[in-house]
Amino acid sequence: MLITLGKGKFILNAHADVYARAAMEAYADACEATSSERARRIRESLYLGRRMPLCVQTALRIVREAQVVGRLRADYSESAWLQVLHTLELIEREPEVIKMFSNWPGSNPR
C-alpha cells in the first residue's frame, strides 16, 4: 500500500512487515462503513477473511473501553466480560490457540 504524507511517500509491505499488516487491517476496519468493497479487497489481500485480527492489542483496548461503558448498564456481567478479555489475552500470548475455533480455516475443533 502506498501512503503519501505531504512531502514523503511510504510503501507498506503487509507480507513482510507485521506493523504494515496491522495498519492495513485497521484501515480496512475504518473504511468498512463507507467503502465496503475497498475493505473487502484489502482483507482478501491480507488473507483476513475469517481470521482473528493481527492487532489483538487493539481488540483488547476496545473491549476494555467497552467494558467501562458496560459497567454502567443494569445487566452488566463481570464474568462474561472477563471471559472475553481472558480469551483475547490467551490468543495474544499463544496465537495457535485460535485454531480451536471451528470457523478458523484449517482448524481442528475438539
Side-chain angles (χ1 to χ4, degrees), residues 1-73:
M1 174 181 273
L2 175 65
I3 300 173
T4 303
L5 300 172
K7 298 178 183 177
K9 293 183 180 182
F10 299 90
I11 296 175
L12 299 179
N13 182 348
H15 299 287
D17 181 352
V18 68
Y19 302 111
R21 218 174 138 87
M24 291 175 69
E25 178 183 318
Y27 182 83
D29 290 342
C31 74
E32 177 73 40
T34 57
S35 186
S36 61
E37 179 61 21
R38 178 182 297 168
R40 184 190 63 75
R41 287 194 333 258
I42 290 169
R43 289 188 185 104
E44 281 180 358
S45 73
L46 297 173
Y47 309 106
L48 289 174
R50 295 187 324 181
R51 293 183 52 201
M52 176 60 96
L54 297 170
C55 296
V56 177
Q57 301 92 341
T58 301
L60 278 164
R61 179 181 54 80
I62 292 167
V63 170
R64 286 180 182 126
E65 289 176 9
Q67 183 183 23
V68 170
V69 174
R71 284 188 175 117
L72 301 174
R73 296 180 48 100

